[in-house]
Amino acid sequence: PALYGIELLNEPIAPEMFAHMQAANRYPPHDPARAEGSCGVPDEVLRKFYTDAYHVLRKHLRDEIVIMFHDGFRLKNWKDFMQSEEFVNVVLDTHMYLGFATMGGKKPFGEVLQIALAQFQNDIQEMSQYFPIVVGEWCFSFPMSVADEEDSELARQSMIRAAAACQLYAFEKAYGWFFWSYKLISEPQGWDARKAFEAGWFPGNVVTGK
């Protein structure tokens, strides 16, 4: 009775994103020989996997149980997908992180907030015409490079609260969201929900549930 839904696959990486990560050597393979030939997941492969998986699951799940699929880091590519009546109660999952949206050099803090308010909100609103949108991962972290070294701890805390508030405002257009993660053993700052509550970064209505 507690089952809300099932997500088909988490974060299948797009080919161009995979190529970028490889070029940047961001996630080098532990075993290069075994990783030889690895690549991103092409659209046509992912679409077939999602469609086949939907039909397998829907045989066993009531219509009120959500079947969710991740955008594969290509949010706008799904406007013509699963739009016919045979697909019931499908939700699109997208992951929105300021830390990734602001990659590419130091940016003013105002520009970071603009990304949250404009880019995130507009993307959610646009794609909500096709699917209920869930922001399945997000957090309060953003590149601290936007903060000057001489900024006080008070200023940094204020920036985190502002970034959090802007994201939550943008996500009001979404069907729902999940904070990532509940608990971290180590840093970086802004990824641990427990510490975020303790620091007072969540607005009061989120804390109280009202």
Side-chain angles (χ1 to χ4, degrees):
L3 178 63
Y4 169 75
I6 295 178
E7 179 148 359
L8 301 176
L9 186 65
N10 184 54
E11 294 195 341
I13 193 167
E16 59 273 17
M17 190 175 195
F18 182 87
H20 172 74
M21 293 295 188
Q22 290 293 97
N25 201 31
R26 187 176 180 88
Y27 298 110
H30 175 71
D31 186 340
R34 188 176 181 186
E36 187 69 31
S38 295
C39 63
V41 184
D43 278 12
E44 60 273 16
V45 173
L46 196 53
R47 284 171 174 256
K48 185 178 187 307
F49 174 83
Y50 282 157
T51 302
D52 291 348
Y54 172 90
H55 288 303
V56 170
L57 282 177
R58 192 51 84 196
K59 291 178 183 178
H60 305 281
L61 298 177
R62 303 184 308 277
D63 284 353
E64 58 266 31
I65 302 298
V66 163
I67 293 180
M68 189 180 298
F69 71 98
H70 185 260
D71 64 5
F73 305 103
R74 57 201 97 168
L75 179 58
K76 305 291 185 65
N77 285 18
W78 304 100
K79 295 179 180 180
D80 63 343
F81 187 64
M82 290 192 181
Q83 296 299 299
S84 63
E85 293 182 357
E86 67 176 301
F87 299 104
V88 179
N89 206 4
V90 179
V91 173
L92 175 56
D93 171 27
T94 188
H95 299 171
M96 293 183 165
Y97 288 110
L98 281 176
F100 296 119
T102 56
M103 287 192 333
K106 183 174 179 177
K107 292 178 171 60
F109 185 62
E111 188 173 334
V112 171
L113 297 188
Q114 183 64 23
I115 288 173
L117 285 172
Q119 180 180 316
F120 287 173
Q121 187 179 65
N122 292 343
D123 286 353
I124 290 170
Q125 194 163 352
E126 179 179 344
M127 291 306 297
S128 291
Q129 300 175 64
Y130 306 93
F131 296 96
I133 303 298
V134 165
V135 182
E137 290 187 23
W138 71 286
C139 70
F140 290 160
S141 180
F142 61 90
M144 276 302 176
S145 61
V146 304
D148 293 327
E149 292 182 3
E150 62 268 19
D151 283 341
S152 66
E153 181 60 24
L154 177 61
R156 290 172 181 267
Q157 293 294 317
S158 298
M159 292 166 76
I160 294 174
R161 288 193 179 197
C166 285
Q167 289 178 92
L168 285 166
Y169 180 79
F171 298 161
E172 287 182 4
K173 302 292 184 181
Y175 189 63
W177 51 259
F178 294 89
F179 189 93
W180 185 270
S181 180
Y182 171 70
K183 177 182 179 181
L184 287 184
I185 296 174
S186 60
E187 300 298 335
Q189 193 175 49
W191 292 76
D192 188 310
R194 299 169 313 142
K195 293 177 181 177
F197 275 112
E198 293 169 0
W201 297 336
F202 279 99
N205 63 332
V206 174
V207 176
T208 61
K210 296 180 180 179

